[in-house]
Amino acid sequence: MTVETLENLELIQQSARDFAARYILPHVMEWDETQHFPVELFHEMGHHGFMGVLVPHEYGGAGLGYQEYITIIEEIAKVCGSIGLSVAAHNSLCTNHILMFGNEEQKQRYLPSLASAEWIGAWGLTEPNTGSDAGRMQCVAEKDGDYFIINGAKNFITHGKSGQVAVVIVRTGELLDSRGMTAFVIEKGTPGFSAGKKENKLGMRASETTELIFDHCRVHRSQMLGAEGEGFIQAMKVLDGGRISIAALSLGIAKGAYEAAVKYAKERHQFGKPIADFQAISFKLADMATQIQASELLVRKAGRLKDTGEKSTTLSAMAKYYASETAVRVANEAVQVFGGYGYTKDFPVEKFYRDAKLCTIGEGTSEIQKLVISRELLKNG
C-alpha cells in the first residue's frame, strides 16, 4: 500500500468507527432482542457513503476499493455483527451484481438509489431445498413472449421484506445445467412478488432474513441481468467478492470479542491480581490475537487481488473460511475469559458468540469453502 492509501484508510476507519459509536452502539441490544431491522440507520449510512462503497462516482457511489470496503465492514462489525452483515449483503450481493453484470440502463436506474440507500437491496440464490446444491433450484421462470413467468421461493434472504429491489437467480433451463439459470432484477410491488416468513434467528437478529415468494410473477426480459443462462456463472463471480465481505465481517466480530476480552482480563481481579496475569488467560489472548492477525492478512490479500483485477477465487474462499472459523473460536474464548458474566447479556461477548456462527454458514459454508479451495488448487497445480 502507498502512504496515500494508508492515510485514506485511516480516515475511513475513523469515520466508520465514529459512526458505529454514535449511531449503532446505543441500540445494539435493543435491536437484537426485538429483531428490529433499522431501515433509518441504513439511510444514514447511505449519506456517509457506506452503502455504495464499490459503486463508481458516476452512479452516485463512493468509488472506493476493497481495502476501504473491508475497513468499513470491520469497524461496524466490531460493534454489531448484524449491521455489518446487512452492509455486506447490500454492497457485495445485490448492488455489486448489478454493477458487474447490468447494462448501462440498469446501472443508471438502480445503482444511484442503492448507493444512497434510498433503496435497500436483496439477493436471492438459496432455496428451501437447495442451499449449497444450487444446481437443483426449483424456482423456475418460463418464457411468455417478451416476459418470464416466475414461480417458486427463495429463503434465507437478507432484506427480503424491507428491500425495494432484489436480484434473484432462477432456473430457465434444465435441472443441473450450470447454464440453465438466469439472473433478474425485480422491484418491490411487482405483482406476484412478495416476502414470506421472517426467520427467528440465533444471532444476527437485527439483520432481516426472510423468504421471497414468486406466484406467477411476470417479469419483462429487460429486467434480465446479462444474457439468459448466465445467472449461476454470474453468482459464482459475485460470491468471490461477497466472501471477502463475510471475511471482513468475521474479522470485525473477532476483533470486537478480543478487545472486550482484553479489557475485561485487565479489570477483573481474582486471587489478588488481574486475571490477565494468569498464564491460562494470557495464552488464550495470545492465540486469539495470532489468529486475528492471520485472518487479516488473508482478507487484505484477497482484497488486493480484487482491487488489481486479478482472480481471487482461491484467496476469497481461504479468507472467508479461515476468518469465519477464527471468529467462532475467538468469540468462544472471549466468553470463557468473562466466565459467568460472559454468558449474560450485560456484557457484549455473548452477542459476538451468537453472531459469529453465521459467518461459517452464509455465502457458502466452511465445507463449501474447502471444496472451492481444493478444486482451485488441484486445477491449477
Side-chain angles (χ1 to χ4, degrees):
M1 291 185 193
T2 64
V3 173
E4 184 180 354
T5 301
L6 288 171
E7 289 176 350
N8 190 43
L9 278 179
E10 288 176 3
L11 289 172
I12 288 168
Q13 181 183 50
Q14 193 59 54
S15 175
R17 186 175 293 169
D18 292 345
F19 182 93
R22 178 180 178 185
Y23 292 101
I24 301 173
L25 184 60
H27 309 287
V28 168
M29 292 312 297
E30 170 199 344
W31 291 340
D32 180 78
E33 293 191 356
T34 61
Q35 296 198 79
H36 173 64
F37 177 61
V39 175
E40 64 285 351
L41 172 75
F42 292 92
H43 295 327
E44 188 65 38
M45 281 198 281
H47 297 320
H48 284 72
F50 298 158
M51 299 298 277
V53 181
L54 303 170
V55 176
H57 293 299
E58 60 261 37
Y59 302 117
L64 299 173
Y66 270 82
Q67 298 302 333
E68 294 87 353
Y69 182 39
I70 289 164
T71 299
I72 290 166
I73 293 176
E74 177 193 322
E75 287 300 323
I76 291 171
K78 282 168 67 175
V79 174
C80 181
S82 295
I83 305 305
L85 173 63
S86 279
V87 171
H90 174 91
N91 276 280
S92 285
L93 299 180
C94 178
T95 304
N96 204 37
H97 198 137
I98 296 170
L99 177 63
M100 290 176 70
F101 299 106
N103 59 37
E104 188 59 27
E105 184 179 346
Q106 291 166 335
K107 291 178 183 179
Q108 293 285 356
R109 174 165 177 74
Y110 294 111
L111 292 180
S113 294
L114 288 166
S116 68
E118 177 188 350
W119 286 4
I120 303 295
W123 191 80
L125 178 65
T126 300
E127 297 181 6
N129 294 311
T130 59
S132 301
D133 188 12
R136 298 180 192 273
M137 66 172 55
Q138 299 298 312
C139 191
V140 175
E142 296 184 351
K143 276 185 183 177
D144 181 20
D146 286 336
Y147 289 83
F148 286 81
I149 311 299
I150 305 176
N151 283 288
K154 299 287 180 180
N155 74 333
F156 298 132
I157 307 304
T158 306
H159 314 145
K161 180 180 179 182
S162 297
Q164 283 81 12
V165 61
V167 172
V168 295
I169 295 89
V170 298
R171 186 157 61 82
T172 51
E174 296 300 317
L175 202 67
L176 299 178
D177 181 2
S178 63
R179 294 189 176 274
M181 290 164 271
T182 303
F184 292 89
V185 54
I186 307 176
E187 296 178 26
K188 189 175 187 177
T190 300
F193 176 47
S194 62
K197 172 190 173 187
K198 180 177 177 178
E199 302 296 342
N200 184 7
K201 299 175 296 184
L202 168 72
M204 302 292 195
R205 290 167 61 83
S207 180
E208 179 186 273
T209 306
T210 75
E211 293 177 313
L212 289 180
I213 298 172
F214 301 90
D215 183 9
H216 293 88
C217 178
R218 189 175 174 85
V219 179
H220 193 267
R221 64 179 298 106
S222 63
Q223 297 302 107
M224 187 187 302
L225 290 168
E228 184 177 344
E230 292 182 350
F232 181 76
I233 296 157
Q234 291 175 6
M236 294 304 101
K237 292 177 180 177
V238 168
L239 285 172
D240 278 351
R243 285 165 180 159
I244 295 173
S245 74
I246 299 300
L249 174 67
S250 304
L251 183 62
I253 291 171
K255 285 188 177 183
Y258 166 75
E259 289 173 8
V262 170
K263 183 174 183 290
Y264 184 80
K266 290 178 177 179
E267 295 172 349
R268 173 71 166 172
H269 283 67
Q270 291 287 275
F271 305 102
K273 59 183 177 180
I275 64 172
D277 289 353
F278 293 101
Q279 190 178 77
I281 300 300
S282 64
F283 277 18
K284 284 184 186 296
L285 298 175
D287 283 338
M288 293 157 76
T290 302
Q291 291 164 18
I292 287 169
Q293 285 293 317
S295 296
E296 182 152 23
L297 288 170
L298 275 171
V299 178
R300 293 290 179 183
K301 186 172 182 180
R304 183 180 61 79
L305 292 179
K306 287 293 289 184
D307 281 338
T308 56
E310 298 173 70
K311 186 177 180 182
S312 66
T313 302
T314 305
L315 260 296
S316 295
M318 285 179 172
K320 197 271 187 188
Y321 167 52
Y322 189 82
S324 64
E325 293 291 344
T326 291
V328 171
R329 288 193 296 270
V330 169
N332 179 59
E333 290 287 50
V335 172
Q336 199 70 19
V337 169
F338 273 76
Y341 290 113
Y343 205 67
T344 72
K345 292 184 182 291
D346 295 327
F347 292 86
V349 289
E350 66 85 29
K351 183 176 182 297
F352 288 124
Y353 182 73
R354 290 185 288 109
D355 287 348
K357 187 58 192 170
L358 186 275
C359 297
T360 70
I361 299 169
E363 296 196 35
T365 62
S366 290
E367 291 74 20
I368 287 295
Q369 303 314 311
K370 287 191 276 189
L371 183 63
V372 171
I373 294 164
S374 59
R375 281 181 176 172
E376 289 294 313
L377 293 176
L378 296 170
K379 181 171 67 178
N380 299 324

Short mmCIF file of all heavy atoms in Angstrom, two decimals, residues 202-237:
data_model
loop_
_atom_site.label_atom_id
_atom_site.label_comp_id
_atom_site.label_asym_id
_atom_site.label_seq_id
_atom_site.Cartn_x
_atom_site.Cartn_y
_atom_site.Cartn_z
N LEU A 202 -30.77 -17.31 15.84
CA LEU A 202 -29.88 -17.36 16.99
C LEU A 202 -29.12 -16.04 17.15
O LEU A 202 -29.06 -15.46 18.24
CB LEU A 202 -28.88 -18.51 16.82
CG LEU A 202 -27.68 -18.55 17.77
CD1 LEU A 202 -28.14 -18.96 19.17
CD2 LEU A 202 -26.62 -19.52 17.27
N GLY A 203 -28.51 -15.59 16.08
CA GLY A 203 -27.72 -14.36 16.09
C GLY A 203 -28.04 -13.53 14.86
O GLY A 203 -28.96 -13.83 14.11
N MET A 204 -27.29 -12.47 14.67
CA MET A 204 -27.52 -11.54 13.56
C MET A 204 -29.00 -11.13 13.50
O MET A 204 -29.60 -11.00 12.43
CB MET A 204 -27.11 -12.17 12.22
CG MET A 204 -25.66 -12.60 12.14
SD MET A 204 -24.53 -11.20 12.16
CE MET A 204 -23.00 -11.97 11.60
N ARG A 205 -29.57 -10.89 14.66
CA ARG A 205 -31.02 -10.75 14.77
C ARG A 205 -31.55 -9.41 14.24
O ARG A 205 -32.73 -9.29 13.92
CB ARG A 205 -31.45 -10.98 16.21
CG ARG A 205 -31.31 -12.44 16.63
CD ARG A 205 -31.44 -12.62 18.13
NE ARG A 205 -32.71 -12.20 18.67
CZ ARG A 205 -33.81 -12.93 18.67
NH1 ARG A 205 -33.81 -14.15 18.14
NH2 ARG A 205 -34.94 -12.47 19.20
N ALA A 206 -30.69 -8.40 14.17
CA ALA A 206 -31.13 -7.11 13.64
C ALA A 206 -30.97 -7.03 12.12
O ALA A 206 -31.34 -6.04 11.51
CB ALA A 206 -30.37 -5.97 14.31
N SER A 207 -30.43 -8.08 11.53
CA SER A 207 -30.33 -8.16 10.07
C SER A 207 -31.50 -9.01 9.58
O SER A 207 -31.59 -10.20 9.90
CB SER A 207 -29.00 -8.80 9.65
OG SER A 207 -28.91 -8.88 8.25
N GLU A 208 -32.37 -8.39 8.83
CA GLU A 208 -33.62 -9.06 8.41
C GLU A 208 -33.36 -10.22 7.45
O GLU A 208 -32.62 -10.08 6.48
CB GLU A 208 -34.51 -8.02 7.73
CG GLU A 208 -35.82 -8.54 7.21
CD GLU A 208 -36.54 -7.46 6.44
OE1 GLU A 208 -37.27 -6.67 7.08
OE2 GLU A 208 -36.36 -7.37 5.20
N THR A 209 -33.97 -11.36 7.74
CA THR A 209 -33.83 -12.56 6.91
C THR A 209 -35.22 -13.15 6.68
O THR A 209 -35.89 -13.54 7.63
CB THR A 209 -32.94 -13.61 7.60
OG1 THR A 209 -31.70 -13.01 7.96
CG2 THR A 209 -32.69 -14.80 6.69
N THR A 210 -35.63 -13.23 5.41
CA THR A 210 -36.98 -13.72 5.10
C THR A 210 -36.98 -14.60 3.85
O THR A 210 -35.97 -14.77 3.19
CB THR A 210 -37.96 -12.55 4.84
OG1 THR A 210 -37.69 -11.99 3.54
CG2 THR A 210 -37.85 -11.47 5.89
N GLU A 211 -38.16 -15.12 3.56
CA GLU A 211 -38.40 -15.79 2.29
C GLU A 211 -38.74 -14.76 1.22
O GLU A 211 -39.21 -13.67 1.53
CB GLU A 211 -39.59 -16.75 2.41
CG GLU A 211 -39.40 -17.94 3.29
CD GLU A 211 -40.68 -18.76 3.38
OE1 GLU A 211 -41.76 -18.17 3.60
OE2 GLU A 211 -40.59 -19.99 3.23
N LEU A 212 -38.52 -15.11 -0.03
CA LEU A 212 -39.08 -14.40 -1.18
C LEU A 212 -39.98 -15.38 -1.91
O LEU A 212 -39.58 -16.52 -2.19
CB LEU A 212 -37.98 -13.91 -2.13
CG LEU A 212 -37.11 -12.76 -1.66
CD1 LEU A 212 -36.08 -12.42 -2.74
CD2 LEU A 212 -37.93 -11.52 -1.32
N ILE A 213 -41.19 -14.95 -2.22
CA ILE A 213 -42.17 -15.84 -2.85
C ILE A 213 -42.56 -15.29 -4.22
O ILE A 213 -42.83 -14.09 -4.37
CB ILE A 213 -43.42 -15.99 -1.95
CG1 ILE A 213 -43.01 -16.64 -0.62
CG2 ILE A 213 -44.49 -16.83 -2.64
CD1 ILE A 213 -44.09 -16.67 0.42
N PHE A 214 -42.57 -16.18 -5.20
CA PHE A 214 -42.96 -15.82 -6.57
C PHE A 214 -44.17 -16.65 -6.97
O PHE A 214 -44.11 -17.87 -7.02
CB PHE A 214 -41.80 -16.08 -7.54
CG PHE A 214 -40.56 -15.31 -7.20
CD1 PHE A 214 -39.60 -15.85 -6.34
CD2 PHE A 214 -40.34 -14.04 -7.71
CE1 PHE A 214 -38.46 -15.15 -6.01
CE2 PHE A 214 -39.20 -13.33 -7.37
CZ PHE A 214 -38.26 -13.89 -6.52
N ASP A 215 -45.27 -15.97 -7.23
CA ASP A 215 -46.52 -16.64 -7.60
C ASP A 215 -47.00 -16.04 -8.92
O ASP A 215 -47.64 -15.00 -8.95
CB ASP A 215 -47.56 -16.44 -6.50
CG ASP A 215 -48.87 -17.16 -6.79
OD1 ASP A 215 -48.92 -17.96 -7.75
OD2 ASP A 215 -49.84 -16.92 -6.05
N HIS A 216 -46.61 -16.70 -10.02
CA HIS A 216 -46.90 -16.20 -11.36
C HIS A 216 -46.44 -14.75 -11.51
O HIS A 216 -47.17 -13.88 -11.98
CB HIS A 216 -48.40 -16.33 -11.67
CG HIS A 216 -48.87 -17.75 -11.78
ND1 HIS A 216 -49.29 -18.46 -10.67
CD2 HIS A 216 -48.93 -18.60 -12.83
CE1 HIS A 216 -49.62 -19.68 -11.05
NE2 HIS A 216 -49.41 -19.80 -12.35
N CYS A 217 -45.22 -14.53 -11.08
CA CYS A 217 -44.62 -13.19 -11.14
C CYS A 217 -44.13 -12.94 -12.57
O CYS A 217 -43.28 -13.66 -13.09
CB CYS A 217 -43.45 -13.10 -10.15
SG CYS A 217 -42.59 -11.52 -10.17
N ARG A 218 -44.68 -11.92 -13.19
CA ARG A 218 -44.43 -11.63 -14.60
C ARG A 218 -43.34 -10.55 -14.73
O ARG A 218 -43.53 -9.42 -14.29
CB ARG A 218 -45.73 -11.17 -15.25
CG ARG A 218 -45.71 -11.03 -16.77
CD ARG A 218 -47.13 -10.68 -17.22
NE ARG A 218 -47.19 -10.38 -18.63
CZ ARG A 218 -47.31 -11.29 -19.60
NH1 ARG A 218 -47.38 -12.57 -19.28
NH2 ARG A 218 -47.38 -10.94 -20.86
N VAL A 219 -42.20 -10.94 -15.31
CA VAL A 219 -41.05 -10.05 -15.39
C VAL A 219 -40.62 -9.89 -16.86
O VAL A 219 -40.45 -10.89 -17.57
CB VAL A 219 -39.87 -10.60 -14.56
CG1 VAL A 219 -38.66 -9.68 -14.66
CG2 VAL A 219 -40.29 -10.77 -13.11
N HIS A 220 -40.45 -8.65 -17.30
CA HIS A 220 -40.04 -8.40 -18.69
C HIS A 220 -38.58 -8.77 -18.88
O HIS A 220 -37.77 -8.66 -17.95
CB HIS A 220 -40.27 -6.93 -19.03
CG HIS A 220 -40.16 -6.64 -20.50
ND1 HIS A 220 -38.99 -6.23 -21.10
CD2 HIS A 220 -41.09 -6.71 -21.49
CE1 HIS A 220 -39.19 -6.06 -22.39
NE2 HIS A 220 -40.47 -6.34 -22.66
N ARG A 221 -38.24 -9.18 -20.08
CA ARG A 221 -36.87 -9.60 -20.36
C ARG A 221 -35.87 -8.46 -20.15
O ARG A 221 -34.68 -8.69 -19.96
CB ARG A 221 -36.75 -10.16 -21.77
CG ARG A 221 -37.03 -9.20 -22.90
CD ARG A 221 -36.86 -9.85 -24.27
NE ARG A 221 -35.48 -10.31 -24.46
CZ ARG A 221 -35.11 -11.59 -24.42
NH1 ARG A 221 -35.99 -12.55 -24.21
NH2 ARG A 221 -33.84 -11.92 -24.61
N SER A 222 -36.35 -7.21 -20.15
CA SER A 222 -35.45 -6.07 -19.90
C SER A 222 -34.93 -6.07 -18.46
O SER A 222 -33.96 -5.37 -18.16
CB SER A 222 -36.18 -4.75 -20.17
OG SER A 222 -37.28 -4.60 -19.29
N GLN A 223 -35.56 -6.88 -17.59
CA GLN A 223 -35.10 -6.99 -16.20
C GLN A 223 -34.03 -8.07 -16.03
O GLN A 223 -33.53 -8.28 -14.93
CB GLN A 223 -36.29 -7.31 -15.29
CG GLN A 223 -37.37 -6.22 -15.25
CD GLN A 223 -36.82 -4.89 -14.79
OE1 GLN A 223 -36.66 -3.97 -15.59
NE2 GLN A 223 -36.51 -4.77 -13.52
N MET A 224 -33.68 -8.72 -17.11
CA MET A 224 -32.64 -9.75 -17.07
C MET A 224 -31.27 -9.09 -16.94
O MET A 224 -30.99 -8.08 -17.60
CB MET A 224 -32.70 -10.58 -18.35
CG MET A 224 -31.79 -11.80 -18.36
SD MET A 224 -31.78 -12.60 -20.00
CE MET A 224 -33.52 -12.97 -20.23
N LEU A 225 -30.42 -9.64 -16.09
CA LEU A 225 -29.05 -9.16 -15.94
C LEU A 225 -28.13 -10.04 -16.78
O LEU A 225 -28.02 -11.24 -16.54
CB LEU A 225 -28.62 -9.20 -14.48
CG LEU A 225 -29.30 -8.16 -13.57
CD1 LEU A 225 -29.03 -8.48 -12.11
CD2 LEU A 225 -28.83 -6.75 -13.89
N GLY A 226 -27.49 -9.43 -17.78
CA GLY A 226 -26.67 -10.22 -18.69
C GLY A 226 -27.55 -11.05 -19.61
O GLY A 226 -28.72 -10.73 -19.84
N ALA A 227 -26.98 -12.13 -20.11
CA ALA A 227 -27.70 -12.98 -21.06
C ALA A 227 -28.43 -14.12 -20.35
O ALA A 227 -28.08 -14.49 -19.23
CB ALA A 227 -26.73 -13.56 -22.09
N GLU A 228 -29.42 -14.66 -21.01
CA GLU A 228 -30.14 -15.81 -20.48
C GLU A 228 -29.16 -16.98 -20.31
O GLU A 228 -28.32 -17.24 -21.17
CB GLU A 228 -31.26 -16.22 -21.43
CG GLU A 228 -32.13 -17.36 -20.90
CD GLU A 228 -33.28 -17.70 -21.84
OE1 GLU A 228 -33.60 -16.88 -22.73
OE2 GLU A 228 -33.86 -18.79 -21.68
N GLY A 229 -29.26 -17.66 -19.16
CA GLY A 229 -28.40 -18.80 -18.89
C GLY A 229 -27.10 -18.49 -18.17
O GLY A 229 -26.35 -19.39 -17.82
N GLU A 230 -26.83 -17.20 -17.92
CA GLU A 230 -25.58 -16.81 -17.27
C GLU A 230 -25.70 -16.61 -15.76
O GLU A 230 -24.73 -16.27 -15.09
CB GLU A 230 -25.05 -15.51 -17.89
CG GLU A 230 -24.57 -15.65 -19.33
CD GLU A 230 -24.01 -14.34 -19.87
OE1 GLU A 230 -24.19 -13.30 -19.19
OE2 GLU A 230 -23.42 -14.36 -20.96
N GLY A 231 -26.88 -16.82 -15.22
CA GLY A 231 -27.14 -16.46 -13.82
C GLY A 231 -26.25 -17.14 -12.81
O GLY A 231 -25.71 -16.50 -11.90
N PHE A 232 -26.06 -18.44 -12.96
CA PHE A 232 -25.25 -19.19 -11.99
C PHE A 232 -23.78 -18.77 -12.08
O PHE A 232 -23.11 -18.60 -11.06
CB PHE A 232 -25.39 -20.69 -12.23
CG PHE A 232 -24.61 -21.53 -11.24
CD1 PHE A 232 -25.06 -21.71 -9.95
CD2 PHE A 232 -23.42 -22.14 -11.62
CE1 PHE A 232 -24.34 -22.46 -9.04
CE2 PHE A 232 -22.70 -22.90 -10.72
CZ PHE A 232 -23.16 -23.06 -9.42
N ILE A 233 -23.29 -18.61 -13.30
CA ILE A 233 -21.90 -18.21 -13.51
C ILE A 233 -21.67 -16.82 -12.94
O ILE A 233 -20.64 -16.56 -12.28
CB ILE A 233 -21.56 -18.25 -15.02
CG1 ILE A 233 -21.67 -19.70 -15.53
CG2 ILE A 233 -20.17 -17.69 -15.29
CD1 ILE A 233 -21.92 -19.81 -17.00
N GLN A 234 -22.63 -15.92 -13.13
CA GLN A 234 -22.55 -14.59 -12.53
C GLN A 234 -22.51 -14.69 -11.01
O GLN A 234 -21.71 -14.02 -10.34
CB GLN A 234 -23.76 -13.75 -12.95
CG GLN A 234 -23.80 -13.36 -14.41
CD GLN A 234 -25.09 -12.63 -14.76
OE1 GLN A 234 -25.91 -12.32 -13.90
NE2 GLN A 234 -25.28 -12.36 -16.05
N ALA A 235 -23.40 -15.52 -10.45
CA ALA A 235 -23.50 -15.66 -9.00
C ALA A 235 -22.18 -16.10 -8.39
O ALA A 235 -21.77 -15.62 -7.33
CB ALA A 235 -24.61 -16.63 -8.63
N MET A 236 -21.49 -17.03 -9.04
CA MET A 236 -20.22 -17.51 -8.52
C MET A 236 -19.17 -16.39 -8.51
O MET A 236 -18.35 -16.29 -7.59
CB MET A 236 -19.72 -18.69 -9.34
CG MET A 236 -20.59 -19.94 -9.25
SD MET A 236 -20.85 -20.54 -7.55
CE MET A 236 -22.52 -19.93 -7.19
N LYS A 237 -19.21 -15.52 -9.52
CA LYS A 237 -18.27 -14.39 -9.56
C LYS A 237 -18.63 -13.35 -8.50
O LYS A 237 -17.74 -12.77 -7.87
CB LYS A 237 -18.26 -13.77 -10.96
CG LYS A 237 -17.66 -14.69 -12.02
CD LYS A 237 -17.72 -14.09 -13.41
CE LYS A 237 -17.11 -15.03 -14.45
NZ LYS A 237 -17.22 -14.48 -15.83
#
